[in-house]
Amino acid sequence: MKRDGFGSKLGIIAAAAGSAVGLGNIYRFPCELGNNGGGAFLIVYLLIVLGLGVPVMLSEFVIGRRTQKNPVGAFRMLRPKSGWPIIGYLGVICGLIILAFYSTVAGWTLEYIVKAVGDQFSGKDLSVIEQEFSDFHNLGWKNVLWQVVFIFLTAFVVFKGVADGIEKYSKILMPLLVLILIVLAIRSITLPGGTDGLSFLFKPDFSKITGSVVISALGQAFFSLSMGMGVLITYGSYIKKEDNLLSSSVSVVLADTLVAVLAGLVIFPAAFSFGVQPTAGMGLVFNTLPMIFNQMSGGYFFCIIFFVLLAVAALTSTISLLEVIVAYLVEELHINRRWATVVAAVASAIVGVFASLSLKNGSAFSIGGNSFFNCLDFVSSNILLPIGAFFIVLFVGWIMGKSEFFAEVTNEGKLKMSIKGIVFFIIKFLAPVAIAIIFVTGLF
Ligand code: PFF
């Protein structure tokens, strides 16, 4: 069977960056940073992303391109009749879990596009905007409706296939998103009191670094880079044999980190200026942003463009999540692509509805006092992704081994790469040890 492939070098970087850049950067990153002590979290986060991001991403790309398969098939092909495909299954399940709660927030972006077009923010005080946000997610049915619409949109693109779907959208719109974030950051920093937000972001209070901060940073790093669950194995399987996997990984990690830091520069100065608590969680983004637009000339148009781009960024991420499940169903269970897409979309929508409804005040869908939404988020990001990433680097370092790794990163010797030995050393020794230490100390 001929597999889809990405058309160009930019195509693969754009598609992987499209998966990486999303609500994780613009919505989840500020929430986590705000709840975990600001600057201290940022430092731990940057250390993890820069130290572990490239080795883990490269390992996933190597496994994917070597085997040209989905995560389950890839491990099965490299080590038949072993337990390794379990890591692939874990990834497929994790994809479903993430898609379920991610689509809740993705749905909100659609509601906010409608609000922006209807000019429903202008002239309103923060308290009114906050009240409307909380009324909205207490109205369970509307969340569910937008969520289902979002999953439907995702399924539509996935169904159309990789090359003309994902690549086309990512290439143009991601750079535009970066541009608009820069404009917003400038507006936010120049608001009265905005510099307090900069201090919150860049003046770390090291006494705030605790086990839970560290594990949150680890989870956020993997979540933001779409690592640890086989999205990048799947995308790696679509990368052409002549592309440079190492430089692609570096580009994606840097692009993703840039967007997260930019999002911080947009949100925190404005939050401090308007008096939104950094610990406000969901409201941090959905309430602060409309307030920024209210303070800008042309704010009406910026607001619409921003929420459209946010929705697109979320879409390129949900596409990658659905694609992992679909690639598995098509290649391993031999279901045709149309049915596989329907099955995966319906399954994630069913779980997702409970995630959405669990955010209503007094909802019955909670576990141990935490909403079902938060439980799905915690289990996938802070537990399953680190476990997945740990076994992925372990596999490449110890099972796949040096010669196969070198063959794949150097495109069978065609690329001269003097640092491949160091990179392999990091994958074999440093990365698994670091992930294990951070995970275990963080958890206990
Ligand atoms: N990286 C995406 C974001 O930051 O929004 C979310 C995500 C996509 C996580 C795909 C995990 C994944 F496999």
Side-chain angles (χ1 to χ4, degrees), residues 2-268:
K2 187 185 171 306
R3 301 185 91 234
D4 254 339
F6 287 116
S8 63
K9 173 80 187 293
L10 180 66
I12 151 68
I13 296 178
S19 168
V21 174
L23 297 169
N25 309 60
I26 294 165
Y27 165 80
R28 197 178 188 279
F29 176 74
C31 290
E32 292 289 303
L33 191 132
N35 279 318
N36 287 289
F41 177 89
L42 180 64
I43 295 217
V44 181
Y45 177 78
L46 289 177
L47 284 175
I48 292 175
V49 163
L50 299 177
L52 292 173
V54 173
V56 178
M57 187 170 290
L58 182 63
S59 300
E60 289 205 31
F61 280 161
V62 164
I63 295 174
R65 194 174 68 173
R66 192 87 192 144
T67 57
Q68 305 276 297
K69 289 204 181 310
N70 66 86
V72 174
F75 284 110
R76 187 172 285 149
M77 180 174 169
L78 291 168
R79 282 297 171 276
K81 301 199 171 56
S82 72
W84 284 101
I86 293 173
I87 302 304
Y89 286 114
L90 211 66
V92 174
I93 293 167
C94 190
L96 196 123
I97 297 178
I98 295 181
L99 188 54
F101 73 84
Y102 197 90
S103 54
T104 300
V105 184
W108 298 348
T109 63
L110 300 181
E111 165 79 4
Y112 272 61
I113 293 174
V114 173
K115 276 179 180 268
V117 172
D119 201 12
Q120 287 183 33
F121 302 115
S122 52
K124 287 186 179 159
D125 286 340
L126 178 65
S127 57
V128 178
I129 287 179
E130 282 177 340
Q131 188 57 46
E132 287 179 357
F133 178 61
S134 101
D135 290 347
F136 164 62
H137 69 77
N138 266 322
L139 254 189
W141 66 269
K142 214 174 182 191
N143 290 255
V144 169
L145 187 73
W146 283 128
Q147 174 174 39
V148 170
V149 170
F150 206 95
I151 293 180
F152 179 83
L153 281 174
T154 309
F156 178 76
V157 182
V158 167
F159 176 65
K160 283 184 66 200
V162 177
D164 25 304
I166 304 173
E167 195 181 328
K168 199 165 70 193
Y169 297 102
S170 304
K171 253 193 233 172
I172 320 159
L173 296 171
M174 287 302 110
L176 200 61
L177 179 68
V178 171
L179 205 69
I180 199 163
L181 282 172
I182 293 175
V183 174
L184 289 180
I186 294 171
R187 173 67 279 216
S188 176
I189 294 165
T190 50
L191 285 167
T195 45
D196 292 347
L198 290 183
S199 309
F200 178 72
L201 206 51
F202 294 120
K203 280 212 185 117
D205 170 358
F206 289 104
S207 68
K208 295 242 167 75
I209 299 181
T210 62
S212 102
V213 167
V214 171
I215 195 115
S216 299
L218 184 73
Q220 174 61 24
F222 289 144
F223 186 88
S224 189
L225 293 169
S226 304
M227 289 186 330
M229 53 150 290
V231 157
L232 301 168
I233 294 181
T234 309
Y235 275 22
S237 74
Y238 302 128
I239 302 178
K240 284 199 189 137
K241 288 290 183 191
E242 14 347 319
D243 282 343
N244 184 333
L245 296 182
L246 180 60
S247 71
S248 299
S249 311
V250 173
S251 310
V252 175
V253 169
L254 292 180
D256 187 73
T257 309
L258 171 76
V259 175
V261 173
L262 273 175
L265 286 172
V266 172
I267 299 299
F268 289 102

Side-chain angles (χ1 to χ4, degrees), residues 239-436:
I239 302 178
K240 284 199 189 137
K241 288 290 183 191
E242 14 347 319
D243 282 343
N244 184 333
L245 296 182
L246 180 60
S247 71
S248 299
S249 311
V250 173
S251 310
V252 175
V253 169
L254 292 180
D256 187 73
T257 309
L258 171 76
V259 175
V261 173
L262 273 175
L265 286 172
V266 172
I267 299 299
F268 289 102
F272 275 78
S273 174
F274 299 124
V276 179
Q277 290 303 315
T279 49
M282 296 166 172
L284 195 57
V285 171
F286 282 92
N287 297 329
T288 308
L289 281 165
M291 292 300 291
I292 304 179
F293 296 118
N294 274 343
Q295 303 287 325
M296 289 172 80
S297 51
Y300 172 74
F301 294 103
F302 274 110
C303 186
I304 297 174
I305 300 170
F306 177 82
F307 280 113
V308 169
L309 289 177
L310 187 59
V312 173
L315 186 63
T316 50
S317 301
T318 50
I319 288 166
S320 71
L321 289 162
L322 193 62
E323 177 65 27
V324 173
I325 311 169
V326 169
Y328 162 72
L329 294 174
V330 170
E331 291 172 17
E332 302 303 307
L333 303 186
H334 308 292
I335 300 176
N336 76 40
R337 195 167 171 95
R338 179 189 303 251
W339 276 108
T341 310
V342 172
V343 168
V346 170
S348 50
I350 291 173
V351 183
V353 165
F354 291 101
S356 279
L357 293 178
S358 76
L359 293 175
K360 282 173 71 167
N361 283 342
S363 163
F365 304 119
S366 65
I367 302 170
N370 284 306
S371 64
F372 184 53
F373 177 101
N374 282 340
C375 294
L376 293 182
D377 184 345
F378 183 85
V379 168
S380 55
S381 315
N382 294 7
I383 298 179
L384 295 180
L385 295 184
I387 291 178
F390 173 78
F391 282 107
I392 286 167
V393 281
L394 212 63
F395 183 84
V396 171
W398 295 86
I399 309 291
M400 195 178 203
K402 201 172 189 166
S403 57
E404 215 171 345
F405 174 79
F406 282 0
E408 199 56 44
V409 268
T410 62
N411 300 351
E412 310 297 334
K414 288 191 206 75
L415 293 176
K416 293 281 154 273
M417 204 177 276
S418 51
I419 57 164
K420 61 182 187 294
I422 301 171
V423 176
F424 186 72
F425 178 82
I426 297 175
I427 291 175
K428 184 165 182 170
F429 297 104
L430 297 188
V433 171
I435 297 172

